[in-house]
Amino acid sequence: MKQSAVNGKVPISLVINKVRHELDVEPWVTLLDLVREQLQCTGTKKGCDQGQCGACTVLIDGQRINSCLVLAVTRDGAEITTIEGLADGADLHPLQTAFIEHDAFQCGYCTPGQICSAAGLLREGRAHTRAEIREYMSGNLCRCGAYTNIADAIEDVLRQRVSTKEAAE
Amino acid sequence: MNRFEYVRPDTVAHAVKALADRDARALAGGTNLVDLMKYEVTRPSRVVDINHLPLRQIEPAPDGGLTIGALVTNSELAWDPRITKRYPLLASAILAGASPQLRNAATTGGNLLQRTRCYYFYDPSTACNKREPGSGCSAIGGVNRIHAILGASDGCIAVHPSDMCVALAALEAVVNVEGKDGKRSIPFSAFHRLPGSEPQHDNTMLQGELITSITLPASDFGSNHTYLKVRDRLSYAFALVSVAAALKLEGGEIRTARVALGGVAHKPWRDPDAEQALSNSPGAP
């Protein structure tokens, strides 16, 4: 049974953007604060810090999750992907390219969370229509109101994937 | 957030032992507890991380129903083929709540134990009998658009915010808990409670008990059901009012009806009068 003393740190191991980190973490530190403050991966944004805005969305073992509500110690052993880890070397992730092409942001603060969330949505494979994209992206708020273009960008990638799959069959 | 001791047990027995401390709290998905700790509404001396307990299975129950481990996430449950096929009312209620990210983290046990979303409960600068017994209720006479219209008391008008629990009430699920004195099973209708003079208690679990699973009875209301949720936004908002309704039809007539309301009381609200009026009545007007 792993245990910390009061004020004690807990040793954990996390793979973040394909790099393994052995870390000593205070148990009250959220995954969001860990990646931003200790690992300097500041692409993941702190919006509301209450699980309401989705700006802090990352992928944990492939699943999109609000990193502000996760105590890092509870995910010992997990693989985390942040916005910094989505591109394949110099090649942007198709969602990143689509967000640029569709001008799917204004201030850009919600964008890393929007893109990580959309990556989770694609992996889940449950969104097939624009209405479903909107419903399954409801956990990501954009106070600039770029929703129309965000939905366009995701719909575009979804359609590319369907046509690539159909071509392969 | 306050400083606390962190323990990560591997067995339910160890978890129960660690939870015996009065100010210990079990942590699973964290989607409500971590939030409450940030607001310092909850200040545990010890956090018991139960994520490594073997409570992640959905298994057939002896009577033909299903037993759902306390750590099954809301997403896993809502999309499990056994649930979508046999208990679609439960699947639609879960998908009406929160966001995909939150459902990926939130667990079955945690959903039952989530605290109210009353604004004053989350604001330690205001009076709240649920947060600080005896301090008063700021919601009575305050901003209370999302508050109780049934079963409230002079001391608390908070509501239970869950969508999933409204379906579980209609389906008559059973909550299985384990504590230092052993295991027991609590019928869903006896799990959450009305506020009365002790609104600090959301449910009838005893100090130190842990939810290990819930059981869905074999009787599944799989064919005729709906979960309707009225809220201020199209999606991702707590219910102003919701209803889980399920019917068993026989030759075009309603034989049995189940009606449970959400967002209206301190607990999911079964409506026996409506159920009785609908039962043994013609299915169509």
Side-chain angles (χ1 to χ4, degrees), chain A residues 122-142:
Chain A
L122 292 176
R123 185 177 176 276
E124 290 156 12
R126 294 174 190 126
H128 308 288
T129 63
R130 190 177 178 90
E132 284 168 342
I133 290 171
R134 286 166 55 86
E135 169 60 26
Y136 295 136
M137 287 298 292
S138 66
N140 293 82
L141 306 189
C142 168

Side-chain angles (χ1 to χ4, degrees), chain B residues 79-161:
Chain B
W79 296 103
D80 187 282
R82 291 163 289 186
I83 299 297
T84 54
K85 189 159 178 277
R86 293 178 54 195
Y87 304 95
L89 174 65
L90 178 58
S92 38
I94 294 170
L95 294 178
S99 68
Q101 290 100 310
L102 290 167
R103 294 193 294 263
N104 280 345
T107 63
T108 301
N111 192 305
L112 269 60
L113 297 179
Q114 66 181 300
R115 310 296 312 267
T116 183
R117 295 290 165 169
C118 173
Y119 325 113
Y120 303 101
F121 177 67
Y122 284 77
D123 180 356
S125 71
T126 64
C128 171
N129 287 323
K130 185 180 276 297
R131 177 168 28 79
E132 204 181 319
S135 65
C137 173
S138 305
I140 297 173
V143 179
N144 53 24
R145 179 169 161 71
I146 63 168
H147 289 68
I149 51 175
L150 297 170
S153 73
D154 292 345
C156 182
I157 57 170
V159 301
H160 195 264

Side-chain angles (χ1 to χ4, degrees), chain B residues 248-266:
Chain B
K248 272 189 187 153
L249 302 180
E250 238 175 68
E253 293 212 333
I254 299 170
R255 205 45 70 218
T256 313
R258 297 270 180 86
V259 179
L261 309 176
V264 295
H266 202 255

Side-chain angles (χ1 to χ4, degrees), chain A residues 1-5 10 27 73-74, chain B residues 4-10 14-15 17-19 24-27 45-52:
Chain A
M1 183 158 77
K2 215 164 201 172
Q3 192 156 357
S4 75
V10 181
V73 287
T74 65
Chain B
F4 52 81
E5 181 194 22
Y6 171 83
V7 294
R8 190 194 291 166
D10 301 320
H14 282 147
K17 210 171 162 193
L19 285 167
R25 289 288 178 278
L27 176 68
S45 59
R46 176 188 293 159
V47 168
V48 182
D49 177 359
I50 60 169
N51 285 295
H52 292 253

